[in-house]
Amino acid sequence: MRLVLNSNSHASTLFFFACALIFVGLGFRDAWPPDEPRFALVAKEMVNSGQWLVPMRGGEIYPDKPPVFMWCIAFFYLITGSLKVAMLLPNAIASLVTLGLTYKLSLRLASEKAAMLSMLVLLLSPQFLIQAKFAQIDALVACFIWISVYGLIQHFYVHVNWRWYFAAWFFMGLGIITKGVGFLPVLLFIPIAFFAFTSGSHRGKWSLRMLFGPLVMLSVVAMWLAPLLYLGLIKQDPQIQQYLSNILFKQTAERYANAWHHIEPWYYYIVEVIPVFWITPIAILVSKAKSLKDALTHNHAYSSLLIWVILVVIFFSISPGKRGVYVLPALPALSMVAGLVLANSTVSRGLVLFARAVTSLISAVLLIAGLALLFHEPTAVKLMTRFDSDSETLVRLSIVLLVLGFAGLCTHIVYYVYNKKRNAGDGELLARQLLAWLFILTVIPSTFGAWLLNDYRTPRIVLQNAESQISNMLTKDSTAFEVGIVSFKEQYLLYSPFEMAHFGYHTPKEVENGTAWAWLANTSEPSREQTKVSGQRVRPPMRQRFLLVPSDYKFQCADLSQATSLGVVHRDEWLLLPATAASATCDLPANGPVFNSYDGSSD
């Protein structure tokens, strides 16, 4: 049966539904590891320090990514004053732009129905919605890449439009200073050139002015890179030189050709990512292989988009380092192809059964997992041991899973009864059921789930325990204290209620250990500096120092019997070491850096 979803009102309703899905839950949770606390911390330091040119993490340069994504979070942090909201807004807005452009481009190339279905397919693709609701960099760079693709398709296949052509290069440049791979739309020139010159339809679209496109892209990159080059090459700032070396070489060419982590086989995307995270367009195209061939015949725009998707997947497959989110920029193009195929054909009974089977299976698995955690003690004990969790957290997780599974299964019951009464068409009913199911599996985790699990996903409890223990350990003549941390992750600096010193994120462990020991041992005596109070010179109160150490760190040059356990978070037990635990001497090198997480200073 055909999908009866071809009016403009349906498209508007679907877009506002997408807005609700993406924006619901903003402010309900904090930044969750592994990536969110890093970007949130960098953005927070930008606002606090006023230094936006170079990303800083706890006073130390963060050399792994260009700054645009952190700029966006910092901008919204300035406006809203809430880091919880600000960290999620850039991707939420970017994803809606991607969704809207997918609709608009499909509308110009095909029909209202194809445009609406393309938007529906993209929204039902797991990878798109997941990235829209998390503070990772990929949804934003995917948006910039998709704007570039939109501009090129507009110019070469809709009508000659040099503004859109140069806008495409502008956003490529913006994508490059967001995450390096902003140049991916350049691959689109391969199918565009092939179809243009084999069909003889290149007149007016190709001219020497095209050469100004790369200059536009480089100009955008230069707006950020030129000040860095001035500071690094002219002013000879060693920190800037180190940052440039890392961001221009190690994090680009070296990371692509000789990756040092996330090593996966060449077929990783084809076998492990695309079938799961792109399941919606893939299921449609596999079930409609014949219709796909018919839809692409003499349709050079859609053929170019599909070839570009393949080229993007090949590009990332060549690199030994792979993550599923890398191929996200190609998903809107594939959704457009799937939307066109679906608009030109019928929804087969097999596709309906497959969609219902997948959603039923996921809901059933969630329900069974919740029941197992709640009532099957061996499973609960095994998980608590593996993840160093507690029974309260496991109960909270089981409640979320039970609600998700039960509510998801209810959508099948409700729409089965609805179909029986109204005798609605399979296609229309399937779309409504999938959207209802998606609403449940999005809203509940974003609100209720985030509220229940937030404490488990942040180190606040351990840091509060540290603050309480420090208060009990302070001597009568000292009310001031300083805390250092080794082997840290960004969330410990982000959520710390007190000033935190660290010894460099990439400092070798031996040097970090020796430097931390020196920092802890050298400040047990009061400062010699004096200040005037009521005309008399008095010494300021002694600042006692404490060190946070993971239990598996094997910290040397200290009496670990004096350590106090603060609890377990993120599978690490944390210990609190007082200054009295530091050994009198230590043979480890102590020449590492010391960074202050509050004021951004370093020694």
Side-chain angles (χ1 to χ4, degrees):
M1 296 187 179
R2 291 187 178 273
L3 280 169
V4 190
L5 296 169
N6 54 0
S7 69
N8 187 58
S9 61
H10 278 117
S12 300
T13 302
L14 182 60
F15 185 79
F16 285 114
F17 178 81
C19 292
L21 285 183
I22 291 172
F23 281 105
V24 70
L26 258 71
F28 275 73
R29 66 174 180 86
D30 295 294
W32 286 357
D35 297 322
E36 290 183 340
R38 181 182 313 124
F39 300 131
L41 178 65
V42 171
K44 185 179 180 181
E45 290 195 25
M46 285 178 174
V47 174
N48 290 345
S49 68
Q51 192 283 112
W52 291 51
L53 182 62
V54 180
M56 305 290 287
R57 171 178 51 191
E60 179 184 22
I61 285 181
Y62 171 57
D64 294 358
K65 295 290 185 292
V68 169
F69 183 60
M70 286 76 86
W71 285 348
C72 293
I73 297 176
F75 171 75
F76 287 116
Y77 182 44
L78 275 174
I79 294 175
T80 64
S82 171
L83 202 56
K84 289 182 180 182
V85 174
M87 70 174 185
L88 297 176
L89 274 177
N91 280 353
I93 295 171
S95 298
L96 290 174
V97 171
T98 300
L99 199 66
L101 288 180
T102 301
Y103 171 82
K104 191 172 181 180
L105 187 58
S106 301
L107 183 63
R108 299 203 170 204
L109 292 176
S111 64
E112 175 74 31
K113 184 177 181 181
M116 196 284 307
L117 289 172
S118 298
M119 187 165 55
L120 177 64
V121 171
L122 181 58
L123 185 61
L124 290 172
S125 301
Q127 191 177 58
F128 174 78
L129 196 55
I130 290 171
Q131 291 304 311
K133 295 186 70 64
F134 282 87
Q136 291 182 304
I137 209 165
D138 301 275
L140 184 63
V141 73
C143 175
F144 292 149
I145 290 172
W146 189 234
I147 295 173
S148 299
V149 170
Y150 179 92
L152 293 178
I153 295 294
Q154 276 272 26
H155 175 74
F156 288 104
Y157 289 117
V158 179
H159 59 82
V160 178
N161 190 323
W162 288 104
R163 288 184 180 180
W164 265 116
Y165 173 81
F166 291 116
W169 286 97
F170 176 88
F171 281 97
M172 280 189 233
L174 207 54
I176 289 173
I177 60 175
T178 302
K179 198 187 174 180
V181 295
F183 61 85
L184 285 175
V186 170
L187 296 175
L188 193 57
F189 278 97
I190 296 175
I192 287 175
F194 173 79
F195 289 122
F197 289 96
T198 55
S199 64
S201 61
H202 59 280
R203 293 180 181 178
K205 302 173 184 178
W206 298 74
S207 68
L208 289 177
R209 76 170 77 176
M210 291 176 60
L211 299 177
F212 289 102
L215 295 179
V216 172
M217 179 184 71
L218 293 175
S219 298
V220 175
V221 175
M223 287 190 295
W224 165 70
L225 190 58
L228 288 174
L229 292 173
Y230 171 77
L231 293 174
L233 301 181
I234 306 300
K235 293 295 185 179
Q236 294 292 305
D237 187 320
Q239 284 191 313
I240 299 297
Q241 289 176 342
Q242 180 185 1
Y243 177 71
L244 284 169
S245 175
N246 198 302
I247 201 71
L248 294 180
F249 301 105
K250 184 176 180 180
Q251 296 296 332
T252 51
E254 183 179 346
R255 186 165 189 159
Y256 178 81
N258 189 26
W260 53 90
H261 59 175
H262 302 300
I263 306 300
E264 301 289 350
W266 66 268
Y267 52 81
Y268 171 71
Y269 293 112
I270 300 172
V271 174
E272 296 188 37
V273 177
I274 292 175
V276 177
F277 295 100
W278 293 9
I279 186 171
T280 308
I282 291 298
I284 292 170
L285 295 178
V286 169
S287 66
K288 299 289 181 182
K290 185 177 179 181
S291 299
L292 172 63
K293 183 179 178 181
D294 295 338
L296 295 182
T297 302
H298 306 303
N299 195 330
H300 294 165
Y302 276 91
S303 298
S304 296
L305 287 171
L306 184 58
I307 293 171
W308 180 71
V309 171
I310 296 170
L311 292 174
V312 169
V313 174
I314 292 173
F315 174 82
F316 285 114
S317 296
I318 293 172
S319 173
K322 301 176 181 67
R323 293 185 67 189
V325 291
Y326 290 173
V327 293
L328 176 65
L331 181 56
L334 192 67
S335 299
M336 277 185 57
V337 176
L340 177 68
V341 169
L342 205 56
N344 294 342
S345 60
T346 60
V347 179
S348 65
R349 187 67 177 165
L351 186 60
V352 172
L353 292 175
F354 175 78
R356 288 182 175 160
V358 170
T359 53
S360 298
L361 180 62
I362 293 173
S363 300
V365 168
L366 292 172
L367 184 63
I368 293 170
L371 291 171
L373 289 179
L374 204 57
F375 299 110
H376 193 252
E377 188 174 344
T379 301
V381 171
K382 185 177 179 180
L383 287 174
M384 284 191 291
T385 303
R386 180 178 178 183
F387 294 100
D388 291 317
S389 183
D390 54 55
S391 58
E392 182 183 353
T393 302
L394 222 58
V395 169
R396 291 183 176 189
L397 178 61
S398 66
I399 292 172
V400 175
L401 294 176
L402 284 171
V403 172
L404 281 175
F406 178 75
L409 289 175
C410 282
T411 62
H412 291 270
I413 299 171
V414 169
Y415 280 99
Y416 175 78
V417 173
Y418 179 88
N419 185 38
K420 213 169 183 183
K421 289 182 177 180
R422 301 288 187 90
N423 195 27
D426 280 349
E428 183 180 358
L429 185 67
L430 176 64
R432 292 180 179 179
Q433 181 180 345
L434 289 177
L435 289 174
W437 183 83
L438 184 66
F439 183 81
I440 289 169
L441 263 75
T442 302
V443 171
I444 293 175
S446 299
T447 53
F448 180 64
W451 175 70
L452 283 179
L453 299 175
N454 193 54
D455 285 344
Y456 174 71
R457 296 290 288 150
T458 66
R460 276 206 174 97
I461 294 177
V462 163
L463 292 169
Q464 289 170 2
N465 291 341
E467 189 173 34
S468 176
Q469 290 293 334
I470 289 171
S471 297
N472 295 333
M473 297 167 70
L474 288 175
T475 58
K476 290 182 179 180
D477 59 343
S478 174
T479 57
F481 64 90
E482 294 176 287
V483 180
I485 187 170
V486 296
S487 192
F488 76 99
K489 297 293 185 182
E490 291 84 1
Q491 55 264 32
Y492 294 94
L493 303 184
L494 182 64
Y495 298 119
S496 177
F498 39 74
E499 184 175 348
M500 190 95 79
H502 68 92
F503 311 97
Y505 193 82
H506 296 291
T507 303
K509 293 300 179 187
E510 187 180 51
V511 178
E512 181 188 43
N513 192 326
T515 306
W517 164 83
W519 178 89
L520 183 66
N522 289 348
T523 56
S524 57
E525 298 180 1
S527 171
R528 295 182 180 179
E529 296 180 2
Q530 297 181 346
T531 58
K532 281 188 177 183
V533 178
S534 300
Q536 296 181 349
R537 290 185 177 274
V538 295
R539 287 179 177 175
M542 180 176 66
R543 295 175 65 87
Q544 289 185 254
R545 287 190 173 180
F546 300 86
L547 194 65
L548 294 177
V549 183
S551 60
D552 60 354
Y553 185 77
K554 298 179 180 178
F555 193 80
Q556 301 178 51
C557 306
D559 178 10
L560 296 181
S561 65
Q562 296 188 41
T564 303
S565 177
L566 301 173
V568 176
V569 65
H570 303 148
R571 289 190 269 182
D572 284 327
E573 180 188 13
W574 283 87
L575 308 175
L576 180 67
L577 284 177
T580 55
S583 303
T585 60
C586 185
D587 295 330
L588 297 176
N591 58 343
V594 180
F595 296 94
N596 187 300
S597 66
Y598 268 31
D599 60 18
S601 64
S602 63
D603 300 326

